[in-house]
Amino acid sequence: MKRDREFDPTTRAEFEVLVETLVHAAHENQIDVDGGIDVRHPSSDVPDWTVEITRIEKSRFE
């Protein structure tokens, strides 16, 4: 997969913003984002990941 500089975070904060943006956009497009996604890399030098997305209840103060 070709890397896009717009989606190439260099800090944890940038990573979190990108995840939030992606989840919000998917929700707006009626994509069910709840559940797990396996993120695999073909190289044995790069770890594989499981990403879990779970809907949470909004607090009464939000």
Side-chain angles (χ1 to χ4, degrees):
M1 178 167 52
K2 183 178 177 189
R3 292 174 61 157
D4 185 329
R5 300 308 299 165
E6 181 181 359
F7 300 103
D8 195 15
T10 58
T11 66
R12 176 68 187 218
E14 290 175 352
F15 172 75
E16 290 178 7
V17 168
L18 288 172
V19 171
E20 288 178 9
T21 301
L22 182 60
V23 170
H24 291 158
H27 176 74
E28 289 174 3
N29 289 317
Q30 289 82 44
I31 295 171
D32 182 10
V33 298
D34 288 327
I37 301 165
D38 289 335
V39 180
R40 303 207 177 263
H41 194 280
S43 172
S44 61
D45 296 333
V46 178
D48 294 332
W49 305 92
T50 295
V51 177
E52 294 284 336
I53 300 176
T54 306
R55 183 181 302 212
I56 58 175
E57 296 292 323
K58 287 192 177 280
S59 72
R60 297 183 321 190
F61 304 106
E62 290 187 75

